[in-house]
């Protein structure tokens, strides 16, 4: 265990001491935040207000606009947390690629520490740093809401979010480690980071709501962990806001909105529960770690 501890500490410090790496790992978050708050957020909240007015009845438009804005911002925060869970962990795993490029990894292999512990050192470092960065993002989001005059999420919701953040960062750390085994240069890994950073917003239905995508695209996204990671966080973040926004309307109105925005995910007209999504993400992590272990043994032989 001492070997794993020192490897985790070393890999975490290598990342955190490089300020440019920390900055660029947060850059995607800033881009998504700017897009959602300045452009897409306003469009989505206005669309929600129009949707509420279509149901008829006496509505307080000013209150609807306030509730819709808060709901969309909570929805955005959940998406940003998933983006960070992916991009930060991938960036930290880049330490292994750099060690491979600079032949440090070969030096580690000739030490008494076995490869399993070395692998865990990289995965756990990415998990810890990724979880920490996401928690900082969550805290910043809560401060932003307070500044805008909204309330804080309940303690129970925050605890659930912390657990979901830890789960997502672990899954994507394992996936990133598996992909890194196929890369031999830092420039190639930078290219992968660019592609991943671009696609994660679409894979999580963050840039475009689910109902804006074709049926075939939705089917593909439902097979990926990003969408389910975003979905479970959205459920926690928006649970109270959805209930307040759709107060006085038919129950199916809120359900239609949740599915359209990727808050809930259904397969063959059956809603996927949070427990099933957790198992789905764990399955991805197990498969990634199993594949990485098999590939490492094959390389060793």
């Amino acid at each position: 265990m001492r070997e794993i501890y020192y490897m985790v500490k070393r890999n975490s410090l290598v990342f955190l001491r490089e300020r440019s790496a920390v900055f660029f790992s947060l850059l995607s978050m800033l881009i998504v935040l700017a897009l959602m708050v300045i452009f897409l957020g306003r469009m989505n909240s206005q669309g929600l207000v129009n949707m509420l007015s279509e149901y008829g009845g006496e509505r307080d438009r000013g209150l609807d606009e306030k509730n819709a804005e808060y709901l969309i911002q909570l929805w955005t925060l959940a998406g940003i947390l998933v983006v960070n869970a992916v991009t930060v962990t991938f960036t930290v795993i880049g330490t292994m690629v750099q060690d491979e490029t600079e032949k440090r990894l070969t030096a580690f292999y000739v030490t008494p520490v076995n490869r399993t512990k070395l692998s865990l050192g990289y995965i756990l470092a990415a998990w810890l740093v990724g979880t920490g960065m996401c928690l900082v993002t969550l805290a910043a989001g809560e401060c932003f809401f307070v500044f805008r005059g909204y309330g804080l999420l309940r303690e129970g919701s925050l605890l659930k979010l912390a657990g979901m953040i830890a789960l997502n960062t672990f899954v994507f750390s394992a996936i990133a480690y598996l992909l890194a085994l196929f890369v031999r240069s830092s420039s190639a890994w930078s290219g992968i980071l660019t592609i991943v950073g671009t696609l994660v917003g679409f894979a999580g239905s963050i840039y475009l709501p689910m109902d804006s995508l074709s049926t075939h695209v939705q089917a593909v996204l439902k097979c990926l962990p990003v969408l389910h990671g975003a979905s479970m966080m959205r459920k926690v973040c928006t649970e109270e806001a959805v209930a307040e926004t759709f107060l006085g309307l038919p129950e199916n109105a809120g359900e239609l909105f949740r599915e359209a925005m990727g808050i809930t995910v259904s397969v063959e007209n059956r809603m996927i529960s949070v427990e099933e999504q957790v198992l789905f993400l764990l399955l991805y992590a197990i498969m990634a770690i199993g594949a990485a272990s098999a590939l490492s043994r094959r390389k060793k032989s």
Side-chain angles (χ1 to χ4, degrees):
M1 292 298 294
R2 286 187 62 187
E3 294 89 346
I4 297 177
Y5 168 77
Y6 285 119
M7 282 299 299
V8 170
K9 181 179 179 180
R10 177 258 178 190
N11 294 333
S12 300
L13 290 175
V14 167
F15 170 79
L16 294 173
R17 285 173 178 171
E18 189 174 347
R19 295 181 180 178
S20 60
V22 176
F23 171 76
F24 284 110
S25 67
L26 294 173
L27 183 60
S28 59
M29 177 199 72
L30 298 175
I31 293 174
V32 174
L33 181 62
L35 284 173
M36 292 303 301
V37 173
I38 299 176
F39 301 107
L40 301 179
R42 182 174 299 177
M43 180 181 67
N44 287 333
S45 61
Q46 189 59 47
L48 176 55
V49 172
N50 294 335
M51 174 185 172
L52 294 173
S53 63
E54 288 177 0
Y55 281 90
E58 294 184 4
R59 304 286 303 181
D60 185 338
R61 187 172 181 85
L63 181 60
D64 282 345
E65 289 178 350
K66 181 180 179 181
N67 289 337
E69 182 181 6
Y70 182 44
L71 174 56
I72 294 301
Q73 288 176 357
L74 286 170
W75 180 85
T76 303
L77 176 62
I80 292 173
L81 291 174
V82 174
V83 170
N84 271 7
V86 176
T87 56
V88 174
T89 53
F90 269 69
T91 304
V92 178
I93 289 294
T95 303
M96 188 188 80
V97 178
Q98 188 176 2
D99 288 341
E100 173 75 22
T101 303
E102 299 178 4
K103 308 301 181 184
R104 285 193 291 264
L105 200 56
T106 304
F108 290 147
Y109 286 154
V110 299
T111 63
V113 182
N114 62 49
R115 294 197 177 196
T116 300
K117 292 180 179 179
L118 288 174
S119 301
L120 286 174
Y122 289 110
I123 293 174
L124 293 179
W127 173 60
L128 288 174
V129 174
T131 300
M133 297 286 267
C134 287
L135 291 176
V136 169
T137 303
L138 176 59
E142 288 291 85
C143 292
F144 173 76
F145 294 143
V146 171
F147 177 76
R148 294 294 301 273
Y150 299 111
L152 295 173
L153 293 173
R154 292 183 178 179
E155 291 183 5
S157 298
L158 291 174
L159 289 175
K160 288 180 182 179
L161 278 175
M164 291 176 178
I165 286 170
L167 172 62
N168 276 271
T169 51
F170 180 73
V171 172
F172 294 119
S173 297
I175 294 174
Y177 179 79
L178 174 61
L179 292 178
L181 292 176
F182 296 93
V183 180
R184 291 291 177 271
S185 68
S186 296
S187 58
W189 188 249
S190 296
I192 291 176
L193 282 176
T194 302
I195 296 172
V196 169
T198 303
L199 294 180
V200 65
F202 293 100
S205 184
I206 296 168
Y207 299 145
L208 294 173
M210 285 289 284
D211 65 344
S212 301
L213 306 174
S214 67
T215 304
H216 297 295
V217 173
Q218 290 184 31
V220 173
L221 296 185
K222 290 175 184 178
C223 297
L224 302 177
V226 179
L227 177 61
H228 293 279
S231 171
M232 63 169 61
M233 291 195 199
R234 287 168 179 161
K235 287 177 185 176
V236 176
C237 284
T238 65
E239 182 178 6
E240 295 181 16
V242 169
E244 187 172 350
T245 302
F246 288 85
L247 184 66
L249 295 180
E251 187 177 347
N252 69 323
E255 292 299 328
L256 290 173
F257 172 79
R258 290 185 183 96
E259 190 165 2
M261 298 298 288
I263 298 173
T264 58
V265 179
S266 62
V267 176
E268 296 182 353
N269 297 322
R270 188 181 71 84
M271 213 65 74
I272 305 299
S273 67
V274 173
E275 291 77 13
E276 289 173 320
Q277 290 176 320
V278 169
L279 291 175
F280 180 78
L281 290 175
L282 287 174
L283 180 61
Y284 253 94
I286 292 170
M287 291 191 300
I289 293 173
S293 177
L295 184 60
S296 296
R297 285 197 300 268
R298 183 178 178 182
K299 284 185 176 183
K300 186 176 181 180
S301 62

